Amino acid sequence: MKALLYKDFLVLWKQMKFVIFMVAIFCLLPNLGFGLNNMWVVYAGLVIPTSLLAYDERARWDNLAEMLPYSPRQLVLSRYVFGWGATLFAGVFYCIGLLINGQESLETGSFATLAALFAVVLVFQAVLFPLIFRMGVEKARVCMILVIAGVMGVWGASAYLLEKQPALLPHVPLPPVLVVAVVLCLASVKAAEKQYAGRRW
């Protein structure tokens, strides 16, 4: 699977190196009330692996992969691992940005926000990746846009209520939410493998 990850990295560096720099730069910036660093963590975890899948789809990579000694599980899992790596990459720069801007205190809630972003990305990956392996990138991308729009709407409304009327929102412990997101994402690997095996290219 290392070779598959290396292949994805080469494609990413050749086709999207500008995006890599953009993720790093914007994750380093302070929030400034716009949530730019938050958005780029989600972007790294969702758009980068989805774009790589789109490049592979256009290049008919799956036809070549069938002739290589890789199982469907290895092919699917490599995409998940790369998505997790992209999310972690953005998270590292997010933390560096917090330290640079003097927001290292846990009381600011910045690290809790990052954990919440990780949970959101993992849930999105758990839903989106099986759809991509079944329907293809373009059809699944429409679903992704609709889901992201819905979640962002809920996120914005929750943030507004939390600021104006914090008593209206129940306090949900973050660690269990993150654990549930991890479990869902790991469970979706098997579902994505089945969808990949059932797809006709």
Side-chain angles (χ1 to χ4, degrees):
M1 193 171 67
K2 292 180 181 178
L4 294 173
L5 295 174
Y6 181 64
K7 184 271 297 180
D8 284 341
F9 175 77
L10 291 180
V11 174
L12 176 66
W13 186 251
K14 181 177 181 180
Q15 302 291 344
M16 301 178 65
K17 60 172 67 74
F18 178 74
V19 174
I20 298 175
F21 290 122
M22 291 292 288
V23 169
I25 291 172
F26 279 102
C27 285
L28 288 174
L29 294 178
N31 198 326
L32 299 177
F34 300 106
L36 285 178
N37 49 358
N38 299 343
M39 182 196 74
W40 282 91
V41 173
V42 178
Y43 182 95
L46 295 179
V47 178
I48 287 180
T50 303
S51 298
L52 287 174
L53 285 165
Y55 286 124
D56 285 348
E57 192 172 288
R58 287 197 291 268
R60 302 289 183 181
W61 156 252
D62 295 278
N63 293 336
L64 175 61
E66 291 179 357
M67 297 182 287
L68 298 176
Y70 295 114
S71 66
R73 182 173 182 80
Q74 288 176 308
L75 294 169
V76 169
L77 186 58
S78 68
R79 307 306 173 87
Y80 275 86
V81 171
F82 202 91
W84 299 335
T87 308
L88 184 61
F89 171 82
V92 168
F93 278 89
Y94 184 99
C95 292
I96 294 173
L98 295 181
L99 296 174
I100 292 175
N101 294 286
Q103 301 178 36
E104 67 275 9
S105 174
L106 289 175
E107 296 178 359
T108 62
S110 298
F111 288 106
T113 300
L114 178 60
L117 290 171
F118 279 169
V120 169
V121 171
L122 290 173
V123 171
F124 270 137
Q125 290 177 348
V127 174
L128 181 64
F129 285 0
L131 289 175
I132 290 178
F133 284 116
R134 182 62 182 179
M135 299 171 12
V137 174
E138 293 305 321
K139 292 180 181 179
R141 186 174 289 170
V142 175
C143 297
M144 180 184 73
I145 293 173
L146 293 175
V147 172
I148 288 178
V151 171
M152 289 300 126
V154 173
W155 184 293
S158 300
Y160 177 82
L161 288 175
L162 189 61
E163 179 181 356
K164 300 297 182 181
Q165 299 289 338
L168 294 179
L169 290 177
H171 176 69
V172 180
L174 189 57
V177 173
L178 189 57
V179 170
V180 170
V182 171
V183 171
L184 285 175
C185 196
L186 291 175
S188 75
V189 174
K190 189 66 176 178
E193 182 183 346
K194 290 181 179 179
Q195 297 301 320
Y196 180 80
R199 184 177 175 182
R200 297 294 182 265
W201 299 92

